[in-house]
Amino acid sequence: MSLQLLLRDQPQRSIALTTSTHALVFRKSSPTPRNRTQQQTSTVTAAPRYIVEFSPLSAVDLADYRHARSSVHGTLGLVNVGSDVFLCIITASTKVATVRQPNENVQKIVAVEFYCLNRNDFDDRWPNERDGDGDDGYFDTYDPHVGNPNSHEATVEHPCLALKKLLSAEAGGTFYYSVDFDLTNRLQDRSSEESAFDIDKLDEDFLWNSYMIGPLLQFRSRLSTQDRTALDGAHILTSAIRGFVSTITVPASSSPIKSLPSHLPSSLTLISRLSCRRAGTRFNSRGIDDDGNVANFVETETVYWYPSGICYSYVQVRGSIPIFWEQTAGLLPNQQKIQITRSVEATQPAFDKHFHDLLSKYSTVHILNLLSETKPGEVELTERYNYHINHTHLNANSATKKSREPSNHMLIQKTEFDFHAETRGSFESANLIRRKIQAHVDGFAYFLSDTFSPNDVREKEPGNNMAVILQQEGVFRTNCLDCLDRTNLIQTIVSRMALEAFLSHRGEQGTPDFWTRHSTLWADNGDALSKIYAGTGALKSSFTRHGKMSLAGAFADARKSATRMYINNFVDKGRQNTIDILLGRLVDQVPVQLYDPVTDWVNSEMKKKASAFTSEETIRILVGTFNLNGKGHGTKEDLSAWLCPRGNAIPPPEIVVVAFQEIVELSPQQIMSTDPARRQDWETAVTRTLNEDAKRRGTEPYILLRSGQLVGAALLVLVQSPILRCIKNVEGSIKKTGLSGMAGNKGAVAIRLDYSNTSICFVTSHLAAGFANYDERNKDYQTISSGLRFQRNRAIEDHETVIWLGDFNYRIGLNNEYVRQLVAAGDLETLFQNDQLNLQMVAGHVFPYYSESSITFLPTYKYDNGTDNYDSSEKARIPAWTDRILRKGENLRQIDYTTAPLKFSDHRPVWGSFECTVSNVDVAAKERLSRNLFARRRASMGEDVIKDQVSDEDDDEDVDAQENKSIAPGLPPASSTRQKWWLNDGLPARSTVANGHDGQIPNPDRSANPFKPSSQPEWIPKPVVTQQPTLPTRQSSRKLSPSYSPSNRQPPPDSQHARSAPRAPNRPSITPPLRKASTDSVASSIGRKPAPPVPKKPSNFILLPDQLDGSQHGPRGSARGPPTSQGSQPTISPPVRRMTAPLNMPDKAHGSALQYSASSATRPNRSTIGGTPPPNLPPRSNMNLLDEEDDEANSIPTLKPLRPG
């Protein structure tokens, strides 16, 4: 049935897919601005709703529609990109296979186009330039000027360009569909198909456009039976798989079946279905996820059809090793290190889920493991693989199994075949696997059907004339490391063995030409799957095709290896992102919502009844952070005071998070690489401590869920075993910040997870060191917060709950001696008022929206090892709270925040406990409630009422016409939600008022109500700020540069006399020169040598007595502000801080104190500049801002003061 694509731009954007009898129309329900200016000036808009209607052509007015140039072969569905929604149309396809003749054809997608539902900027042709419906339309170059004649912008890239390349032949043509049968299911599972698009029968594991077609399938399910049948018959909705499909015609002379003479050719078809559940590229998708889905999982079906009606099918599967492991891309081949990311206890549930699904579908599974027995990484994977097979409950005798030898009554069996070792001399040695698996090939059998005759009593498929003779009773699951090259060659051998068994049962045998065609088909399959996953064709394909390895094949393999290295390192990240967009897996992606009154009512009722399917649970989380200073002997220490701090006083936490910094010594050799040995030692120590306490309490033991490491920083997440069923989507990520992101001595490690329906993220970071490097620490935070990403582009801030802990390295902005005095006095409040992290958070520079509990413990850095004494070395570090725990999330409540008395490091460990409220959604109950509400609402409204409401909602022209009616002659039209009578031409209700009056400002005394009479003018002259006359090179009204310090300038010799003597009328006031000139005084300051740089300090440092003195300071004078004369400009006030307690600053010489409230908005006034200080102030103290002996503070500028803007 021929399809056509029609477009309409005015009065609203609409797209129609038409057949000879019906039309599927997509419309935007909210009015679209009539021009681009309106669209840009609108600041607040409601989320657009989209309507789909399927109606007979006679009921649709298509007069205003124009024909699109593209031909139409179906639609893959809807996808939202940014604020736009696109309809994906298949514009070109080619037939590549016929599974069972004559009516089971498979099409390969050659080209697609994306048409925007809410604007026409991306249309490929203007109406009068349509050339016809030729298939060559997909070669056109996108030009936005053609689709929108009013556009004068430069050509921009189409938002869906990457998706278009992925789906079309540009990416190799790896997407296939069929309008004749369900391509997502194997032949054995396909019954008579009344519809190829029944959502209950499509296998969503292999349905790659499930995210895009989902809204349309829901729309289809709401149609009447008659309309649903008509929509299915139109073949508009398309289900697509990804992988490989091809048919090779076997001439009658080469047919392996000779007992049934036929002069017609037979066909051999290969169908490979790649799973979309854990889809991705080679190094971005490895191992298993918490739902039991593995990377690169492919179901490959070999189908042989003979003209007499005989149809043979045999299925194999391949997939990544089903444990949690990762591998990072690298520039050296075979040097990518394998990392297992979860313990055996945390992996077993996901492993069991994976094999449970396989057993449910295929009855029995036989594993063919092709990993090396000598390569360390592959050996480790094999050992873990064997452990989980031996400990799974799915095998009947798993509890008593002592050896690896398979037994006949086990559902999961395994054969080891070191491919590289066995084929070292020649790839022909791969056939040695035959004798290991021949018995299982015979036992699994194959699927066989034949034509059904009326006298035949064999089992037949209902609704057709095919009789099922035999069914396949098991499946081989083959894996190597990538499941590409080695796997494809072995699967070729297994496929041949199964075909030989089928032919031998009939007393037949294959001809050489038949086996050559079979090998060619499998070689093409290997190339196609390898291009999808690794970016190049398969290695060893020369042997697969020809049965021997040639010199040209060896050179081809070398070239492919080099190409893979480039693609994996520089291209795969973008490819992975495009795959995630197609599957709707990015964090900000939501399915397109199609409007209908019933669904809107159901959604509203579901929100009201959320308590019927949603429950809340409170879990306890214990977190701890410890800078080990490179000390490894702590693994033998008793860690219970830190990890089990309250004994039996509180219930044990369900989740324990442990963070380490400097787990190894940060030497130049260490900072460029990560050594996991020390982390593994600490994993053992932490697990041992927690489980010893759990055993003493009689509670559930802890298992290591996941760990991560970046050189010296490590993060461990341990959970009690019963909650594993609630946890999924566990991921880890790292971000380097040392040496501008090249070294891992500084940076962050993060682990995220979903606990039921609540997302939780744990982050540990080690930020830049140094007393004055607060700005570098701020930048490190920004780099981590914005640059650390998990899969699907998920950031730290995308989580509902975040706990961020570690060695942040923020210091206390006071000198060493005074800090130690405050520590000795227990004055934590004063210390906290001068804590750099506190000040930076209050200023909004770091950790916005994060909270920290009150600090009730002494500074955690820096101690002499093994003592409670702060640093007594020559450097004499200033004590500081470098180790912190921050939180974000409304569902978090912190219970504890303190330190533990472990003394083998120069830091003290910090720990905190939380109560976290998580939500649990009963998906089954939610679905039942939704279906019941939908059925009840639909029954009460009736079909005709629903259609009328959809039509009324969508027809903006009729609605606007009704809204624009005046209730009386001479009156403007009534206002509505779409229009306001006082705004002409549909202008938005909110707009930006431009100042068209030079030198004037809006009158603040005039009422904000524009309709209220007022005698006040709308505009008033801008107030003129009077200033004291100044010298040409000075400006007394200029704000002080942050780097200015009074200590850098000598007061004028007669400054004291000038302040006491009356000022001459014609003599301008002289203010101290500023180091940084403003723009209007640059010219006058050219040639002047700038003042040397001076140390800086934060604006809310306390005022020391010597800072209020007008005399010359030493080299460590603080930078506060320019001295001012009486009657001149006011002093600059520091920003308001969140601390209110006055600070008593002792003076060394006289024992006096200065009372100053850090929360006040003003600073004590100075009555003199230089000379003798005022009588009410104490004499200048010799106590400076920084300790002269502090090595950290001597070499780096200190904190900048924060000035009000």
Side-chain angles (χ1 to χ4, degrees), residues 143 229 356 828:
D143 186 352
T229 302
H356 179 270
L828 302 184

mmCIF file of all heavy atoms in Angstrom, residues 143 229 356 828:
data_model
loop_
_atom_site.group_PDB
_atom_site.id
_atom_site.type_symbol
_atom_site.label_atom_id
_atom_site.label_comp_id
_atom_site.label_asym_id
_atom_site.label_seq_id
_atom_site.Cartn_x
_atom_site.Cartn_y
_atom_site.Cartn_z
ATOM 1 N N ASP A 143 19.186 21.980 3.931
ATOM 2 C CA ASP A 143 19.363 23.426 3.840
ATOM 3 C C ASP A 143 18.170 24.095 4.501
ATOM 4 O O ASP A 143 17.053 24.049 3.982
ATOM 5 C CB ASP A 143 19.463 23.867 2.378
ATOM 6 C CG ASP A 143 19.797 25.353 2.248
ATOM 7 O OD1 ASP A 143 19.798 26.034 3.288
ATOM 8 O OD2 ASP A 143 20.030 25.805 1.118
ATOM 9 N N THR A 229 -7.255 -2.441 12.849
ATOM 10 C CA THR A 229 -7.019 -3.312 11.700
ATOM 11 C C THR A 229 -6.618 -2.502 10.476
ATOM 12 O O THR A 229 -5.705 -2.889 9.725
ATOM 13 C CB THR A 229 -8.272 -4.134 11.400
ATOM 14 O OG1 THR A 229 -8.636 -4.896 12.558
ATOM 15 C CG2 THR A 229 -8.038 -5.079 10.237
ATOM 16 N N HIS A 356 18.585 -17.067 34.117
ATOM 17 C CA HIS A 356 17.169 -17.407 34.278
ATOM 18 C C HIS A 356 16.395 -17.016 33.022
ATOM 19 O O HIS A 356 15.528 -17.766 32.543
ATOM 20 C CB HIS A 356 16.597 -16.703 35.507
ATOM 21 C CG HIS A 356 15.142 -16.970 35.725
ATOM 22 N ND1 HIS A 356 14.136 -16.185 35.177
ATOM 23 C CD2 HIS A 356 14.505 -17.955 36.416
ATOM 24 C CE1 HIS A 356 12.964 -16.659 35.528
ATOM 25 N NE2 HIS A 356 13.152 -17.735 36.281
ATOM 26 N N LEU A 828 35.487 26.694 68.581
ATOM 27 C CA LEU A 828 35.255 26.185 67.235
ATOM 28 C C LEU A 828 34.449 27.158 66.386
ATOM 29 O O LEU A 828 34.588 27.166 65.153
ATOM 30 C CB LEU A 828 34.526 24.839 67.301
ATOM 31 C CG LEU A 828 35.214 23.728 68.097
ATOM 32 C CD1 LEU A 828 34.413 22.440 67.995
ATOM 33 C CD2 LEU A 828 36.632 23.504 67.605
#
